[in-house]
């Protein structure tokens, strides 16, 4: 699937010479200011192009990496789903690049999910992240970080939750 970008991400990506492009999406809010940074990783290699499209699919800007890096700031004028398309300069050549994606001002983007198995909009998402931020839970797996929201909770696990909530996150 198409990756959804979230707060201050940087990607290092090779464009497959036969796929021709990479697509990223993010939810932006009118008034947010974002910075897109594109860095060509291999000197002398074909330069990647970048296109930024608004929620209506209209092209906002298009540019390619010159030399070893470039960035542009954008004041978002609409609220909705934006699209970034990165494609190769020359047909059938692999391109390696870094794409930086940063919030300069405003809310900018959706928050990055902490747990891989708690999707945005999940009915208990807000509660899960509150107890995580309070140090009451660390999830069910560390690598990758999972919460296992559909797994049953044992009595001993519940005891740890309750005591951590009463005595703080350092309680063991």
């Amino acid at each position: 699937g198409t990756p959804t970008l979230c707060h201050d991400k940087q990607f290092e990506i090779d464009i497959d010479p036969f796929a021709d492009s990479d697509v990223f999406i993010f939810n932006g809010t009118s008034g947010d200011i974002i910075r897109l940074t594109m860095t060509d990783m291999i000197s002398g290699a074909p330069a990647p192009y970048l296109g930024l499209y608004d929620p209506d699919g209209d092209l906002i800007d298009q540019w390619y990496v010159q030399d070893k890096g470039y960035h542009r700031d954008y004041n978002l004028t609409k609220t909705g789903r934006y699209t970034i398309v990165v494609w190769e300069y020359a047909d059938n050549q692999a391109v390696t690049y870094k794409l930086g994606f940063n919030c300069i001002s405003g809310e900018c983007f959706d928050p990055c999910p902490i747990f891989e198995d708690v999707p945005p909009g999940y009915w208990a998402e807000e509660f899960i992240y509150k107890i995580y931020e309070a140090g009451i839970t660390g999830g069910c797996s560390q690598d990758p970080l999972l919460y296992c929201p559909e797994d049953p909770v044992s009595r001993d696990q519940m005891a740890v939750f309750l005591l951590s909530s009463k005595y703080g996150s350092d309680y063991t």
Side-chain angles (χ1 to χ4, degrees), residues 92-159:
N92 300 324
Q93 294 189 39
V95 176
T96 300
Y97 66 93
K98 278 189 180 176
L99 172 63
F101 186 74
N102 304 97
C103 181
I104 304 299
S105 174
E107 292 297 314
C108 305
F109 328 127
D110 295 330
C112 296
I114 296 168
F115 296 107
E116 289 187 20
D117 59 346
V118 179
Y122 182 73
W123 71 269
E125 175 186 24
E126 177 183 351
F127 305 107
I128 291 168
Y129 289 138
K130 281 184 180 180
I131 65 171
Y132 174 78
E133 290 166 5
I136 296 169
T137 185
C140 65
S141 169
Q142 296 301 307
D143 189 21
L145 189 57
L146 300 174
Y147 184 74
C148 305
E150 302 297 322
D151 287 2
V153 177
S154 67
R155 293 171 65 105
D156 57 340
Q157 290 170 319
M158 182 52 69

Side-chain angles (χ1 to χ4, degrees), residues 43-96:
S43 182
Y49 275 89
L50 180 143
L52 176 63
Y53 297 85
D54 72 15
D56 297 325
D58 296 327
L59 180 66
I60 296 172
D61 196 12
Q62 172 180 315
W63 46 281
Y64 70 94
V65 177
Q66 299 174 1
D67 301 319
K68 293 286 280 176
Y70 194 70
H71 77 267
R72 289 193 182 170
D73 294 345
Y74 297 95
N75 185 350
L76 303 182
T77 59
K78 298 177 182 176
T79 297
R81 191 178 198 113
Y82 286 77
T83 305
I84 300 168
V85 180
V86 181
W87 66 96
E88 62 176 307
Y89 176 74
D91 286 338
N92 300 324
Q93 294 189 39
V95 176
T96 300

